[in-house]
Amino acid sequence: MAQGDDTSPVLPDGFRFRTADEAGPEAAVRAHLDAWAPSTYTTESYQGVRQTAGYRGDLHLLVEAPDGTMASSTIMWLDEANRTAEFEPVGTHPDYRRLGLARATLLHGMHLARAAGATQMTVACLGAPGHPQARGLYYSVGFREFTRDAPLIKTRTEGPVGQGK
């Protein structure tokens, strides 16, 4: 959990922050598909996200590259009652990784979340050994581990549910 980093977000020359409200559904979906390929995410899936309680298009951040590609994105889920914001998901197009775009997006998002009343920020992270870059990114902007989910696995049983062997 991070309390926020006072560092100003810095984008490379020619890149700019956008919101999903500004860029539109196609850009938001494309950013997701590019960051998490392969993905089955669609415009219809995104419409479902937009209907989710707590979704705000002004807190769905994108970074637009000079060529118009939505190079990085995150959705911030603001919980006004608890004064928290969760960043989930956070991703960057493979051709634009290691340029500081996700870091800048998180820092920019923290500023927006604080302006919206959040005092605490969280991020869901697949920080297992297979994802050290994600964990390093989140640590670099002030997040610290405060919980670790344990995967639940159900073994296959034969017969109707509840009558396993």
Side-chain angles (χ1 to χ4, degrees), residues 4-159:
D5 187 316
D6 290 329
T7 305
S8 295
V10 177
L11 290 172
D13 288 343
F15 288 77
R16 67 182 179 140
F17 292 113
R18 302 284 304 276
T19 68
D21 282 350
E22 297 167 342
E26 294 80 16
V29 170
R30 183 81 257 154
H32 182 97
L33 291 171
D34 288 343
W36 293 284
S39 173
T40 59
Y41 199 63
T42 64
T43 302
E44 292 76 27
S45 304
Y46 175 60
Q47 291 307 324
V49 168
R50 291 176 50 87
Q51 299 304 314
T52 302
Y55 176 84
R56 289 178 42 179
D58 64 322
L59 295 179
H60 184 166
L61 304 180
L62 306 165
V63 173
E64 184 177 12
D67 67 1
T69 300
M70 294 303 158
S72 191
S73 68
T74 189
I75 300 175
M76 290 186 308
W77 300 91
L78 181 65
D79 178 344
E80 292 179 32
N82 292 303
R83 300 182 60 161
T84 63
E86 179 180 9
F87 292 83
E88 200 285 319
V90 178
T92 301
H93 186 298
D95 293 346
Y96 294 93
R97 291 181 182 157
R98 311 300 297 164
L99 298 177
L101 303 180
R103 176 180 170 74
T105 302
L106 289 167
L107 292 171
H108 181 61
M110 288 180 189
H111 290 288
L112 294 176
R114 277 195 299 274
T119 58
Q120 295 283 319
M121 320 290 168
T122 62
V123 64
C125 174
L126 294 175
H131 298 88
Q133 294 89 354
R135 188 177 54 246
L137 165 66
Y138 302 135
Y139 286 163
S140 80
V141 295
F143 286 98
R144 296 293 171 249
E145 183 178 325
F146 80 98
T147 187
R148 187 177 293 232
D149 292 338
L152 302 177
I153 300 170
K154 181 177 184 337
T155 58
R156 185 181 176 124
T157 59
E158 295 188 29

